[in-house]
Amino acid sequence: MERLHLKLKEINHVIKEEVSKENNVGILDGLSGIALFQFYYSKYLESENIYEDALITLQKCFEKINDGYSLPTFCSGIAGFGWTIDHLVENNFIELDNDELLSGFDEYIHNVMVFSLNKKNFDFLHGGIGYALYFINRYRNTSLESLKLSYKAKIYEFISLLESFADKTSNQYKWEKVSNGEKVYDLSLSHGMSSIIGILNKLYELPEFRDRVRDILVGTINFIVELHYLENKLSLYASTISVVNNKNQDNSRLAWCYGDLGIATVLLQSSYLLKSESLRKKVIYILEFSSKRKNLEENSVFDLGICHGTMGISHIFKNICHKLNTNTFQDTSKYWLNKGLELSIYDDNYLGVKKWDPSIKSFIPDLSLLEGAAGVGLVIINSLAPLNTKWDECLMLN
């Protein structure tokens, strides 16, 4: 526990020293995610100084947008910033009139959402799914009936566009994309069909959308659960499936972004929403299989980050224990948490968090929630504190 507290101090120190270098405002790769860590850390320590640091980081987002910053995406841009503001107000970190503040972004985000979907860009991080998540959050949180009706219409438009581009059979829905020049079905939570299940789960939770999305949700689940497992069984699911012959393309890593864990996470959510014991049993089998995967290199685990590193794996297994009300995967969660601490010791004594950059085959510093220090810090806080943390809804984990 002392090592975890020390790592939090190191992360907070490095963020304070280096946050001025951050150019984006988004939640997963930008200032909003960094501020989110600072707000939760200030709450954990009951520190007014860290709370003030968080406000300063958030203010930088406003300043950048006022200066003309216009990247819209959920991962790095304005949609992610808007989600963060909503989250902070909803969870009593700050007091703002979100209806007045955020409604000015709605038309822009709506336009890019429709444009993205018409281009078949359903990507969670950089496309249509991320924009839809922003509008779902706004729909839940707005206090103005006029805005609620506006968001409801935008969400129905999203559902219709999503459905219109699906490849449909009698009981399946699937969406193709082009990867490396080949048409594939991407199964991932970061860029593919698991994120579609995730967003449909969120809509199914809302009674007014339930009937509209039920068939799409069930059909998408059917496609994934009816896939044949990989024969050599490093992973149960591939990252992508060929559209031409429906064959698995490759093994998938052990990670949030691609592979069995992301798929299992959203299917577990679905199993509760749909009251499906058979689906839940299938998910538990996936998780039991994944809990035995411990070799870092074999499973492409090279760093700490939430996206595809040790802390993301640890956090997912901890969440699963809570959701299933079991300690079955507690040791697995602790194993990956400890591996993360081991990987956080660098040859140059850097105190923060570095991500592995395969293009240069080296580690580079990163402050972000998705791949760097802010995300690692949030996972550590979650492992230490009995706080009611909901920050991981930005990753479709909550």
Side-chain angles (χ1 to χ4, degrees):
M1 186 174 292
E2 185 178 343
R3 293 170 68 196
L4 294 172
H5 283 291
L6 177 59
K7 194 62 200 175
L8 279 175
K9 288 181 181 179
E10 293 173 348
I11 285 171
N12 186 60
H13 172 77
V14 169
I15 282 177
K16 189 168 184 176
E17 292 292 313
E18 299 182 4
V19 69
S20 61
K21 301 174 185 177
E22 181 57 55
N23 294 317
N24 289 318
V25 304
I27 174 66
L28 301 182
D29 181 25
L31 289 164
S32 294
I34 295 169
L36 199 65
F37 161 73
Q38 292 172 314
F39 278 113
Y40 273 98
Y41 192 37
S42 72
K43 184 176 182 179
Y44 175 61
L45 293 183
E46 299 181 349
S47 168
E48 291 185 10
N49 289 335
I50 297 174
Y51 183 81
E52 289 298 319
D53 290 340
L55 291 176
I56 291 170
T57 302
L58 201 62
Q59 181 61 32
K60 292 179 189 296
C61 296
F62 287 102
E63 292 169 359
K64 285 182 179 294
I65 291 170
N66 288 335
D67 288 341
Y69 184 94
S70 61
L71 184 68
T73 66
F74 185 80
C75 178
S76 305
I78 293 172
F81 163 73
W83 183 95
T84 305
I85 296 295
D86 242 359
H87 176 86
L88 293 173
V89 172
E90 183 183 5
N91 291 278
N92 302 311
F93 285 102
I94 59 175
E95 293 183 6
L96 283 174
D97 183 349
N98 277 1
D99 288 336
E100 181 179 354
L101 174 66
L102 297 178
S103 59
F105 299 125
D106 291 347
E107 182 179 1
Y108 177 49
I109 295 175
H110 172 248
N111 287 340
V112 293
M113 180 183 78
V114 172
F115 178 83
S116 297
L117 293 170
N118 279 319
K119 292 289 186 180
K120 298 185 179 182
N121 176 8
F122 311 112
D123 198 288
F124 171 33
L125 271 60
H126 312 294
I129 300 293
Y131 302 126
L133 183 57
Y134 164 81
F135 284 121
I136 292 170
N137 225 42
R138 287 270 59 229
Y139 176 80
R140 285 188 338 207
N141 292 323
T142 182
S143 60
L144 295 178
E145 187 61 26
S146 59
L147 282 177
K148 200 168 191 71
L149 289 172
S150 174
Y151 295 135
K152 189 174 185 178
K154 290 175 174 62
I155 291 169
Y156 272 118
E157 183 180 19
F158 162 76
I159 297 168
S160 295
L161 284 168
L162 181 69
E163 184 179 33
S164 70
F165 289 110
D167 296 338
K168 292 174 254 185
T169 63
S170 60
N171 71 333
Q172 292 185 354
Y173 280 72
K174 51 197 174 186
W175 290 261
E176 68 178 48
K177 65 188 285 188
V178 177
S179 177
N180 298 320
E182 183 178 0
K183 289 183 178 181
V184 298
Y185 299 119
D186 187 321
L187 306 184
S188 72
L189 183 51
S190 52
H191 307 291
M193 272 188 282
S194 289
S195 67
I196 292 177
I197 293 176
I199 205 76
L200 293 173
N201 283 340
K202 290 186 178 298
L203 290 170
Y204 193 87
E205 282 184 297
L206 301 169
E208 53 270 50
F209 299 108
R210 190 167 297 159
D211 289 343
R212 180 66 182 89
V213 303
R214 181 182 176 84
D215 288 348
I216 312 172
L217 174 58
V218 172
T220 311
I221 293 169
N222 286 343
F223 172 69
I224 289 182
V225 300
E226 291 175 18
L227 289 170
H228 295 293
Y229 290 145
L230 292 173
E231 292 179 4
N232 60 6
K233 288 201 172 185
L234 172 62
S235 62
L236 294 177
Y237 288 99
S239 299
T240 57
I241 304 293
S242 171
V243 170
V244 176
N245 54 28
N246 227 37
K247 286 187 177 180
N248 298 305
Q249 298 294 88
D250 52 20
N251 281 296
S252 58
R253 66 198 312 168
L254 189 66
W256 167 83
C257 54
Y258 275 91
D260 298 351
L261 286 184
I263 293 169
T265 295
V266 294
L267 291 182
L268 183 62
Q269 295 166 6
S270 301
S271 75
Y272 283 99
L273 291 168
L274 299 171
K275 298 179 174 59
S276 172
E277 187 63 31
S278 62
L279 181 58
R280 194 170 307 138
K281 287 179 179 178
K282 189 175 187 71
V283 170
I284 291 171
Y285 174 74
I286 297 170
L287 293 166
E288 288 173 343
F289 181 91
S290 298
S291 70
K292 299 180 176 73
R293 297 171 63 182
K294 298 290 180 66
N295 185 291
L296 274 69
E297 184 175 355
E298 186 177 69
N299 291 294
S300 300
V301 182
F302 304 115
D303 55 26
L304 284 73
I306 288 179
C307 186
H308 42 254
T310 59
M311 295 304 192
I313 301 169
S314 174
H315 185 69
I316 288 172
F317 276 111
K318 188 173 190 299
N319 271 10
I320 296 296
C321 287
H322 177 73
K323 189 71 175 175
L324 293 174
N325 193 26
T326 179
N327 291 322
T328 302
F329 304 110
Q330 199 69 255
D331 288 344
T332 306
S333 177
K334 290 178 181 178
Y335 170 84
W336 287 108
L337 189 70
N338 290 327
K339 281 294 177 185
L341 291 174
E342 292 174 15
L343 291 177
S344 71
I345 301 172
Y346 305 107
D347 292 339
D348 60 0
N349 296 318
Y350 181 69
L351 296 179
V353 171
K354 294 184 179 184
K355 68 177 181 182
W356 176 252
D357 186 337
S359 66
I360 60 174
K361 293 183 171 55
S362 183
F363 290 97
I364 57 174
D366 193 289
L367 301 184
S368 74
L369 189 155
L370 187 61
E371 295 189 82
V376 170
L378 284 164
V379 170
I380 292 175
I381 292 169
N382 199 74
S383 73
L384 291 170
L387 299 175
N388 183 19
T389 57
K390 298 179 181 178
W391 58 266
D392 55 1
E393 186 180 350
C394 69
L395 297 158
M396 295 202 189
L397 294 179
N398 193 311

mmCIF file of all heavy atoms in Angstrom, residues 280-318:
data_model
loop_
_atom_site.group_PDB
_atom_site.id
_atom_site.type_symbol
_atom_site.label_atom_id
_atom_site.label_comp_id
_atom_site.label_asym_id
_atom_site.label_seq_id
_atom_site.Cartn_x
_atom_site.Cartn_y
_atom_site.Cartn_z
ATOM 1 N N ARG A 280 -24.374 -14.548 -19.042
ATOM 2 C CA ARG A 280 -23.477 -14.297 -17.913
ATOM 3 C C ARG A 280 -22.512 -15.466 -17.722
ATOM 4 O O ARG A 280 -21.322 -15.269 -17.436
ATOM 5 C CB ARG A 280 -24.297 -14.053 -16.644
ATOM 6 C CG ARG A 280 -23.491 -13.446 -15.486
ATOM 7 C CD ARG A 280 -24.406 -13.011 -14.361
ATOM 8 N NE ARG A 280 -25.436 -12.133 -14.895
ATOM 9 C CZ ARG A 280 -26.710 -12.190 -14.537
ATOM 10 N NH1 ARG A 280 -27.122 -13.074 -13.644
ATOM 11 N NH2 ARG A 280 -27.591 -11.361 -15.059
ATOM 12 N N LYS A 281 -22.994 -16.678 -17.885
ATOM 13 C CA LYS A 281 -22.115 -17.850 -17.751
ATOM 14 C C LYS A 281 -21.033 -17.833 -18.819
ATOM 15 O O LYS A 281 -19.880 -18.202 -18.558
ATOM 16 C CB LYS A 281 -22.941 -19.128 -17.845
ATOM 17 C CG LYS A 281 -23.783 -19.408 -16.611
ATOM 18 C CD LYS A 281 -24.604 -20.676 -16.775
ATOM 19 C CE LYS A 281 -25.432 -20.960 -15.528
ATOM 20 N NZ LYS A 281 -26.277 -22.174 -15.687
ATOM 21 N N LYS A 282 -21.391 -17.409 -20.019
ATOM 22 C CA LYS A 282 -20.398 -17.326 -21.095
ATOM 23 C C LYS A 282 -19.333 -16.287 -20.761
ATOM 24 O O LYS A 282 -18.134 -16.502 -20.980
ATOM 25 C CB LYS A 282 -21.095 -16.974 -22.408
ATOM 26 C CG LYS A 282 -20.188 -17.070 -23.638
ATOM 27 C CD LYS A 282 -20.973 -16.832 -24.909
ATOM 28 C CE LYS A 282 -20.118 -17.093 -26.146
ATOM 29 N NZ LYS A 282 -19.836 -18.517 -26.357
ATOM 30 N N VAL A 283 -19.770 -15.160 -20.192
ATOM 31 C CA VAL A 283 -18.834 -14.113 -19.808
ATOM 32 C C VAL A 283 -17.881 -14.610 -18.722
ATOM 33 O O VAL A 283 -16.672 -14.355 -18.768
ATOM 34 C CB VAL A 283 -19.598 -12.859 -19.315
ATOM 35 C CG1 VAL A 283 -18.637 -11.855 -18.692
ATOM 36 C CG2 VAL A 283 -20.364 -12.212 -20.463
ATOM 37 N N ILE A 284 -18.416 -15.322 -17.758
ATOM 38 C CA ILE A 284 -17.569 -15.840 -16.677
ATOM 39 C C ILE A 284 -16.519 -16.799 -17.229
ATOM 40 O O ILE A 284 -15.356 -16.791 -16.785
ATOM 41 C CB ILE A 284 -18.437 -16.510 -15.592
ATOM 42 C CG1 ILE A 284 -19.257 -15.441 -14.858
ATOM 43 C CG2 ILE A 284 -17.568 -17.283 -14.605
ATOM 44 C CD1 ILE A 284 -20.301 -16.011 -13.921
ATOM 45 N N TYR A 285 -16.892 -17.599 -18.225
ATOM 46 C CA TYR A 285 -15.910 -18.480 -18.863
ATOM 47 C C TYR A 285 -14.795 -17.662 -19.519
ATOM 48 O O TYR A 285 -13.599 -17.989 -19.384
ATOM 49 C CB TYR A 285 -16.582 -19.377 -19.901
ATOM 50 C CG TYR A 285 -15.600 -20.205 -20.696
ATOM 51 C CD1 TYR A 285 -14.970 -21.304 -20.123
ATOM 52 C CD2 TYR A 285 -15.273 -19.855 -22.008
ATOM 53 C CE1 TYR A 285 -14.042 -22.059 -20.840
ATOM 54 C CE2 TYR A 285 -14.352 -20.596 -22.732
ATOM 55 C CZ TYR A 285 -13.736 -21.695 -22.141
ATOM 56 O OH TYR A 285 -12.818 -22.431 -22.852
ATOM 57 N N ILE A 286 -15.164 -16.592 -20.220
ATOM 58 C CA ILE A 286 -14.154 -15.719 -20.854
ATOM 59 C C ILE A 286 -13.220 -15.142 -19.805
ATOM 60 O O ILE A 286 -11.993 -15.116 -19.971
ATOM 61 C CB ILE A 286 -14.839 -14.578 -21.636
ATOM 62 C CG1 ILE A 286 -15.696 -15.122 -22.777
ATOM 63 C CG2 ILE A 286 -13.796 -13.608 -22.200
ATOM 64 C CD1 ILE A 286 -16.593 -14.074 -23.430
ATOM 65 N N LEU A 287 -13.782 -14.692 -18.683
ATOM 66 C CA LEU A 287 -12.982 -14.082 -17.627
ATOM 67 C C LEU A 287 -12.077 -15.100 -16.942
ATOM 68 O O LEU A 287 -10.920 -14.802 -16.630
ATOM 69 C CB LEU A 287 -13.904 -13.419 -16.600
ATOM 70 C CG LEU A 287 -14.677 -12.200 -17.120
ATOM 71 C CD1 LEU A 287 -15.786 -11.825 -16.160
ATOM 72 C CD2 LEU A 287 -13.739 -11.028 -17.355
ATOM 73 N N GLU A 288 -12.594 -16.284 -16.714
ATOM 74 C CA GLU A 288 -11.756 -17.329 -16.110
ATOM 75 C C GLU A 288 -10.585 -17.679 -17.016
ATOM 76 O O GLU A 288 -9.455 -17.878 -16.551
ATOM 77 C CB GLU A 288 -12.605 -18.573 -15.813
ATOM 78 C CG GLU A 288 -13.566 -18.370 -14.654
ATOM 79 C CD GLU A 288 -14.516 -19.540 -14.470
ATOM 80 O OE1 GLU A 288 -14.640 -20.355 -15.431
ATOM 81 O OE2 GLU A 288 -15.130 -19.650 -13.394
ATOM 82 N N PHE A 289 -10.850 -17.754 -18.306
ATOM 83 C CA PHE A 289 -9.783 -18.013 -19.268
ATOM 84 C C PHE A 289 -8.768 -16.874 -19.246
ATOM 85 O O PHE A 289 -7.551 -17.105 -19.204
ATOM 86 C CB PHE A 289 -10.386 -18.153 -20.669
ATOM 87 C CG PHE A 289 -9.383 -18.445 -21.749
ATOM 88 C CD1 PHE A 289 -9.073 -19.744 -22.090
ATOM 89 C CD2 PHE A 289 -8.739 -17.409 -22.416
ATOM 90 C CE1 PHE A 289 -8.130 -20.016 -23.079
ATOM 91 C CE2 PHE A 289 -7.807 -17.670 -23.398
ATOM 92 C CZ PHE A 289 -7.501 -18.980 -23.743
ATOM 93 N N SER A 290 -9.255 -15.641 -19.251
ATOM 94 C CA SER A 290 -8.373 -14.473 -19.292
ATOM 95 C C SER A 290 -7.536 -14.336 -18.022
ATOM 96 O O SER A 290 -6.404 -13.841 -18.064
ATOM 97 C CB SER A 290 -9.197 -13.200 -19.490
ATOM 98 O OG SER A 290 -9.892 -13.227 -20.712
ATOM 99 N N SER A 291 -8.086 -14.779 -16.888
ATOM 100 C CA SER A 291 -7.366 -14.658 -15.619
ATOM 101 C C SER A 291 -6.121 -15.530 -15.582
ATOM 102 O O SER A 291 -5.220 -15.311 -14.759
ATOM 103 C CB SER A 291 -8.284 -15.010 -14.450
ATOM 104 O OG SER A 291 -8.590 -16.397 -14.438
ATOM 105 N N LYS A 292 -6.042 -16.514 -16.467
ATOM 106 C CA LYS A 292 -4.881 -17.399 -16.513
ATOM 107 C C LYS A 292 -3.781 -16.869 -17.423
ATOM 108 O O LYS A 292 -2.682 -17.428 -17.477
ATOM 109 C CB LYS A 292 -5.305 -18.797 -16.985
ATOM 110 C CG LYS A 292 -6.319 -19.483 -16.071
ATOM 111 C CD LYS A 292 -6.678 -20.858 -16.606
ATOM 112 C CE LYS A 292 -7.615 -21.612 -15.691
ATOM 113 N NZ LYS A 292 -8.972 -21.105 -15.699
ATOM 114 N N ARG A 293 -4.058 -15.809 -18.130
ATOM 115 C CA ARG A 293 -3.071 -15.235 -19.058
ATOM 116 C C ARG A 293 -2.162 -14.284 -18.274
ATOM 117 O O ARG A 293 -2.544 -13.160 -17.961
ATOM 118 C CB ARG A 293 -3.780 -14.501 -20.197
ATOM 119 C CG ARG A 293 -4.633 -15.405 -21.055
ATOM 120 C CD ARG A 293 -5.488 -14.620 -22.048
ATOM 121 N NE ARG A 293 -4.697 -13.872 -23.013
ATOM 122 C CZ ARG A 293 -5.223 -13.082 -23.943
ATOM 123 N NH1 ARG A 293 -6.538 -12.940 -24.035
ATOM 124 N NH2 ARG A 293 -4.437 -12.436 -24.788
ATOM 125 N N LYS A 294 -0.964 -14.704 -17.952
ATOM 126 C CA LYS A 294 -0.091 -13.933 -17.062
ATOM 127 C C LYS A 294 1.222 -13.482 -17.724
ATOM 128 O O LYS A 294 1.940 -12.663 -17.154
ATOM 129 C CB LYS A 294 0.240 -14.766 -15.820
ATOM 130 C CG LYS A 294 -0.984 -15.149 -14.972
ATOM 131 C CD LYS A 294 -1.562 -13.944 -14.277
ATOM 132 C CE LYS A 294 -2.771 -14.292 -13.433
ATOM 133 N NZ LYS A 294 -2.474 -15.165 -12.291
ATOM 134 N N ASN A 295 1.532 -14.049 -18.902
ATOM 135 C CA ASN A 295 2.801 -13.715 -19.545
ATOM 136 C C ASN A 295 2.708 -12.356 -20.229
ATOM 137 O O ASN A 295 1.886 -12.156 -21.131
ATOM 138 C CB ASN A 295 3.159 -14.795 -20.567
ATOM 139 C CG ASN A 295 4.518 -14.579 -21.200
ATOM 140 O OD1 ASN A 295 4.713 -13.647 -21.973
ATOM 141 N ND2 ASN A 295 5.469 -15.440 -20.862
ATOM 142 N N LEU A 296 3.549 -11.404 -19.818
ATOM 143 C CA LEU A 296 3.443 -10.032 -20.317
ATOM 144 C C LEU A 296 3.719 -9.948 -21.808
ATOM 145 O O LEU A 296 2.921 -9.382 -22.568
ATOM 146 C CB LEU A 296 4.396 -9.101 -19.554
ATOM 147 C CG LEU A 296 3.854 -8.508 -18.249
ATOM 148 C CD1 LEU A 296 3.702 -9.576 -17.179
ATOM 149 C CD2 LEU A 296 4.748 -7.386 -17.758
ATOM 150 N N GLU A 297 4.835 -10.504 -22.243
ATOM 151 C CA GLU A 297 5.209 -10.377 -23.655
ATOM 152 C C GLU A 297 4.225 -11.115 -24.555
ATOM 153 O O GLU A 297 3.811 -10.593 -25.598
ATOM 154 C CB GLU A 297 6.622 -10.918 -23.867
ATOM 155 C CG GLU A 297 7.120 -10.727 -25.299
ATOM 156 C CD GLU A 297 8.564 -11.156 -25.467
ATOM 157 O OE1 GLU A 297 9.215 -11.515 -24.462
ATOM 158 O OE2 GLU A 297 9.054 -11.131 -26.612
ATOM 159 N N GLU A 298 3.827 -12.297 -24.160
ATOM 160 C CA GLU A 298 2.910 -13.099 -24.957
ATOM 161 C C GLU A 298 1.571 -12.390 -25.149
ATOM 162 O O GLU A 298 0.938 -12.491 -26.207
ATOM 163 C CB GLU A 298 2.692 -14.444 -24.259
ATOM 164 C CG GLU A 298 1.867 -15.438 -25.052
ATOM 165 C CD GLU A 298 1.767 -16.769 -24.334
ATOM 166 O OE1 GLU A 298 1.101 -16.834 -23.276
ATOM 167 O OE2 GLU A 298 2.374 -17.741 -24.815
ATOM 168 N N ASN A 299 1.159 -11.630 -24.139
ATOM 169 C CA ASN A 299 -0.128 -10.946 -24.182
ATOM 170 C C ASN A 299 -0.010 -9.472 -24.555
ATOM 171 O O ASN A 299 -0.968 -8.716 -24.407
ATOM 172 C CB ASN A 299 -0.831 -11.091 -22.834
ATOM 173 C CG ASN A 299 -1.281 -12.512 -22.568
ATOM 174 O OD1 ASN A 299 -2.148 -13.033 -23.254
ATOM 175 N ND2 ASN A 299 -0.662 -13.164 -21.582
ATOM 176 N N SER A 300 1.180 -9.084 -25.041
ATOM 177 C CA SER A 300 1.433 -7.714 -25.523
ATOM 178 C C SER A 300 1.173 -6.669 -24.451
ATOM 179 O O SER A 300 0.591 -5.612 -24.712
ATOM 180 C CB SER A 300 0.584 -7.411 -26.765
ATOM 181 O OG SER A 300 0.878 -8.310 -27.805
ATOM 182 N N VAL A 301 1.614 -6.959 -23.237
ATOM 183 C CA VAL A 301 1.512 -6.000 -22.133
ATOM 184 C C VAL A 301 2.903 -5.434 -21.875
ATOM 185 O O VAL A 301 3.767 -6.121 -21.338
ATOM 186 C CB VAL A 301 0.956 -6.677 -20.857
ATOM 187 C CG1 VAL A 301 0.821 -5.651 -19.735
ATOM 188 C CG2 VAL A 301 -0.386 -7.340 -21.141
ATOM 189 N N PHE A 302 3.095 -4.174 -22.253
ATOM 190 C CA PHE A 302 4.438 -3.581 -22.186
ATOM 191 C C PHE A 302 4.530 -2.404 -21.224
ATOM 192 O O PHE A 302 5.624 -1.981 -20.872
ATOM 193 C CB PHE A 302 4.878 -3.111 -23.574
ATOM 194 C CG PHE A 302 4.836 -4.197 -24.620
ATOM 195 C CD1 PHE A 302 3.962 -4.120 -25.686
ATOM 196 C CD2 PHE A 302 5.674 -5.300 -24.522
ATOM 197 C CE1 PHE A 302 3.920 -5.120 -26.650
ATOM 198 C CE2 PHE A 302 5.648 -6.307 -25.471
ATOM 199 C CZ PHE A 302 4.758 -6.221 -26.545
ATOM 200 N N ASP A 303 3.379 -1.844 -20.811
ATOM 201 C CA ASP A 303 3.433 -0.659 -19.955
ATOM 202 C C ASP A 303 2.291 -0.675 -18.945
ATOM 203 O O ASP A 303 1.616 -1.694 -18.767
ATOM 204 C CB ASP A 303 3.435 0.628 -20.801
ATOM 205 C CG ASP A 303 2.239 0.693 -21.753
ATOM 206 O OD1 ASP A 303 1.202 0.077 -21.449
ATOM 207 O OD2 ASP A 303 2.353 1.365 -22.797
ATOM 208 N N LEU A 304 2.033 0.486 -18.305
ATOM 209 C CA LEU A 304 1.072 0.540 -17.213
ATOM 210 C C LEU A 304 -0.324 0.985 -17.643
ATOM 211 O O LEU A 304 -1.289 0.755 -16.930
ATOM 212 C CB LEU A 304 1.542 1.537 -16.138
ATOM 213 C CG LEU A 304 2.655 1.165 -15.184
ATOM 214 C CD1 LEU A 304 3.999 1.157 -15.889
ATOM 215 C CD2 LEU A 304 2.683 2.158 -14.028
ATOM 216 N N GLY A 305 -0.423 1.660 -18.778
ATOM 217 C CA GLY A 305 -1.621 2.420 -19.115
ATOM 218 C C GLY A 305 -2.911 1.626 -19.125
ATOM 219 O O GLY A 305 -2.935 0.405 -19.310
ATOM 220 N N ILE A 306 -4.024 2.334 -18.955
ATOM 221 C CA ILE A 306 -5.334 1.693 -18.955
ATOM 222 C C ILE A 306 -5.626 1.034 -20.295
ATOM 223 O O ILE A 306 -6.178 -0.066 -20.353
ATOM 224 C CB ILE A 306 -6.439 2.727 -18.622
ATOM 225 C CG1 ILE A 306 -6.375 3.108 -17.146
ATOM 226 C CG2 ILE A 306 -7.821 2.173 -18.961
ATOM 227 C CD1 ILE A 306 -7.410 4.145 -16.736
ATOM 228 N N CYS A 307 -5.262 1.662 -21.380
ATOM 229 C CA CYS A 307 -5.637 1.193 -22.706
ATOM 230 C C CYS A 307 -5.199 -0.244 -22.958
ATOM 231 O O CYS A 307 -6.011 -1.098 -23.306
ATOM 232 C CB CYS A 307 -5.068 2.114 -23.783
ATOM 233 S SG CYS A 307 -5.611 1.709 -25.457
ATOM 234 N N HIS A 308 -3.920 -0.522 -22.791
ATOM 235 C CA HIS A 308 -3.420 -1.869 -23.054
ATOM 236 C C HIS A 308 -2.265 -2.229 -22.126
ATOM 237 O O HIS A 308 -1.327 -2.914 -22.518
ATOM 238 C CB HIS A 308 -2.983 -2.020 -24.520
ATOM 239 C CG HIS A 308 -2.230 -0.841 -25.044
ATOM 240 N ND1 HIS A 308 -2.776 0.061 -25.917
ATOM 241 C CD2 HIS A 308 -0.979 -0.411 -24.802
ATOM 242 C CE1 HIS A 308 -1.898 1.006 -26.208
ATOM 243 N NE2 HIS A 308 -0.789 0.731 -25.534
ATOM 244 N N GLY A 309 -2.368 -1.742 -20.893
ATOM 245 C CA GLY A 309 -1.310 -2.018 -19.918
ATOM 246 C C GLY A 309 -1.832 -2.687 -18.663
ATOM 247 O O GLY A 309 -3.014 -3.043 -18.552
ATOM 248 N N THR A 310 -0.957 -2.838 -17.700
ATOM 249 C CA THR A 310 -1.254 -3.611 -16.493
ATOM 250 C C THR A 310 -2.386 -3.020 -15.663
ATOM 251 O O THR A 310 -3.213 -3.743 -15.115
ATOM 252 C CB THR A 310 -0.006 -3.701 -15.603
ATOM 253 O OG1 THR A 310 0.407 -2.372 -15.257
ATOM 254 C CG2 THR A 310 1.132 -4.405 -16.314
ATOM 255 N N MET A 311 -2.418 -1.684 -15.553
ATOM 256 C CA MET A 311 -3.409 -1.061 -14.686
ATOM 257 C C MET A 311 -4.822 -1.182 -15.260
ATOM 258 O O MET A 311 -5.800 -1.280 -14.510
ATOM 259 C CB MET A 311 -3.052 0.406 -14.433
ATOM 260 C CG MET A 311 -1.766 0.603 -13.651
ATOM 261 S SD MET A 311 -1.782 -0.272 -12.060
ATOM 262 C CE MET A 311 -0.336 0.431 -11.264
ATOM 263 N N GLY A 312 -4.932 -1.168 -16.568
ATOM 264 C CA GLY A 312 -6.231 -1.379 -17.183
ATOM 265 C C GLY A 312 -6.759 -2.780 -16.900
ATOM 266 O O GLY A 312 -7.945 -2.961 -16.586
ATOM 267 N N ILE A 313 -5.880 -3.765 -17.007
ATOM 268 C CA ILE A 313 -6.271 -5.156 -16.732
ATOM 269 C C ILE A 313 -6.691 -5.295 -15.270
ATOM 270 O O ILE A 313 -7.736 -5.900 -14.953
ATOM 271 C CB ILE A 313 -5.113 -6.121 -17.045
ATOM 272 C CG1 ILE A 313 -4.689 -5.994 -18.514
ATOM 273 C CG2 ILE A 313 -5.513 -7.561 -16.722
ATOM 274 C CD1 ILE A 313 -3.390 -6.714 -18.842
ATOM 275 N N SER A 314 -5.878 -4.737 -14.371
ATOM 276 C CA SER A 314 -6.185 -4.800 -12.944
ATOM 277 C C SER A 314 -7.547 -4.178 -12.637
ATOM 278 O O SER A 314 -8.360 -4.751 -11.906
ATOM 279 C CB SER A 314 -5.096 -4.074 -12.143
ATOM 280 O OG SER A 314 -5.436 -4.007 -10.774
ATOM 281 N N HIS A 315 -7.802 -3.020 -13.221
ATOM 282 C CA HIS A 315 -9.049 -2.308 -12.944
ATOM 283 C C HIS A 315 -10.262 -3.079 -13.454
ATOM 284 O O HIS A 315 -11.303 -3.139 -12.781
ATOM 285 C CB HIS A 315 -8.995 -0.915 -13.584
ATOM 286 C CG HIS A 315 -10.168 -0.061 -13.254
ATOM 287 N ND1 HIS A 315 -10.393 0.434 -11.993
ATOM 288 C CD2 HIS A 315 -11.196 0.393 -14.025
ATOM 289 C CE1 HIS A 315 -11.503 1.154 -11.991
ATOM 290 N NE2 HIS A 315 -12.012 1.143 -13.210
ATOM 291 N N ILE A 316 -10.137 -3.670 -14.621
ATOM 292 C CA ILE A 316 -11.259 -4.441 -15.172
ATOM 293 C C ILE A 316 -11.593 -5.622 -14.267
ATOM 294 O O ILE A 316 -12.769 -5.862 -13.946
ATOM 295 C CB ILE A 316 -10.938 -4.921 -16.599
ATOM 296 C CG1 ILE A 316 -10.964 -3.731 -17.574
ATOM 297 C CG2 ILE A 316 -11.928 -5.991 -17.053
ATOM 298 C CD1 ILE A 316 -10.478 -4.052 -18.970
ATOM 299 N N PHE A 317 -10.589 -6.348 -13.831
ATOM 300 C CA PHE A 317 -10.861 -7.499 -12.964
ATOM 301 C C PHE A 317 -11.434 -7.070 -11.612
ATOM 302 O O PHE A 317 -12.288 -7.758 -11.042
ATOM 303 C CB PHE A 317 -9.604 -8.348 -12.775
ATOM 304 C CG PHE A 317 -9.371 -9.332 -13.884
ATOM 305 C CD1 PHE A 317 -8.310 -9.183 -14.767
ATOM 306 C CD2 PHE A 317 -10.216 -10.410 -14.061
ATOM 307 C CE1 PHE A 317 -8.088 -10.085 -15.801
ATOM 308 C CE2 PHE A 317 -10.018 -11.326 -15.092
ATOM 309 C CZ PHE A 317 -8.954 -11.154 -15.961
ATOM 310 N N LYS A 318 -10.993 -5.927 -11.097
ATOM 311 C CA LYS A 318 -11.556 -5.419 -9.841
ATOM 312 C C LYS A 318 -13.030 -5.057 -10.036
ATOM 313 O O LYS A 318 -13.882 -5.355 -9.191
ATOM 314 C CB LYS A 318 -10.780 -4.201 -9.350
ATOM 315 C CG LYS A 318 -11.178 -3.739 -7.949
ATOM 316 C CD LYS A 318 -10.252 -2.633 -7.464
ATOM 317 C CE LYS A 318 -10.483 -2.346 -5.976
ATOM 318 N NZ LYS A 318 -11.830 -1.885 -5.665
#
